[in-house]
Amino acid sequence: MKKNTHPDYHMIKVQMTDGTVFETRSTWGSEGDTLALDIDPTSHPAWTGGNQRLLDSGGQVARFNKRFGGLSLGKK
């Protein structure tokens, strides 16, 4: 096995958006650095389920009928 091919894992601190801090091993930064997160599971809408906007107003069939509902394509 080749020498010095593996990254240097060391302990860092991770600071969440709510101020809580935990320690983990990482290759980011150097020993003892603090990684401040901008988005984490306590604040991101994907995990919290907040601030959702519903843009779909009936789907593709409803949009088609809205645009072309007045056309008659059958025999008279």
Side-chain angles (χ1 to χ4, degrees):
M1 191 176 213
K2 291 183 180 180
K3 299 281 185 191
N4 300 324
T5 58
H6 294 285
D8 177 37
Y9 285 101
H10 45 270
M11 295 300 288
I12 66 166
K13 294 178 182 176
V14 178
Q15 182 178 7
M16 307 281 272
T17 56
D18 64 356
T20 58
V21 177
F22 67 92
E23 288 190 14
T24 187
R25 292 175 43 103
S26 176
T27 58
W28 179 86
S30 59
E31 181 81 27
D33 283 351
T34 301
L35 175 63
L37 299 179
D38 294 332
I39 298 174
D40 62 17
T42 61
S43 66
H44 195 278
W47 288 288
T48 60
N51 296 11
Q52 294 179 355
R53 291 187 296 173
L54 186 59
L55 298 177
D56 188 17
S57 61
Q60 292 181 351
V61 174
R63 275 186 283 159
F64 178 83
N65 288 335
K66 182 179 175 183
R67 290 178 70 187
F68 304 109
L71 298 177
S72 61
L73 300 175
K75 294 181 182 179
K76 292 185 178 182

